[in-house]
Amino acid sequence: MIDREQIADDWATRGFSCDLWIDPPGQSWENFTHATDELVIVLEGEMEFEVEGKVHHPPPGEELFIPAGAVHSARNIGSTTARWLYGYGG
């Protein structure tokens, strides 16, 4: 079981926010950039993240770092709703 509160506390000590995102099957967010670093952790479902052309399929609970300015996409490639945490560094 992934402890969302523990992740939020850890990220806060590292200067990151922590919010929940929910995507239905097939949802895709393409070619985003942010002025700050971003962290993501999949809680459930099957997500694909593409960062600067490199594709990642992090299993639930594995943290993925997306550096500031990196072109990235997030895709729910599974057949169920995906829930994932994201946070921006300040």
Side-chain angles (χ1 to χ4, degrees):
M1 182 78 178
I2 300 168
D3 187 337
R4 181 178 169 189
E5 189 173 312
Q6 183 179 21
I7 292 167
D9 289 345
D10 175 57
W11 286 5
T13 64
R14 296 159 59 194
F16 285 82
S17 61
C18 184
D19 292 294
L20 175 67
W21 198 263
I22 301 172
D23 283 323
Q27 179 65 59
S28 179
W29 305 97
E30 298 294 328
N31 301 318
F32 281 84
T33 59
H34 305 292
T36 62
D37 292 335
E38 182 178 7
L39 295 174
V40 298
I41 289 182
V42 176
L43 298 176
E44 60 186 63
E46 190 177 354
M47 290 295 297
E48 174 178 274
F49 296 94
E50 185 174 344
V51 182
E52 293 291 315
K54 184 174 181 186
V55 176
H56 304 268
H57 296 103
E62 182 178 292
E63 182 178 287
L64 177 65
F65 176 76
I66 302 170
V71 176
H72 61 284
S73 300
R75 306 173 187 111
N76 181 349
I77 60 171
S79 60
T80 62
T81 297
R83 297 165 42 88
W84 49 286
L85 300 176
Y86 68 98
Y88 299 113

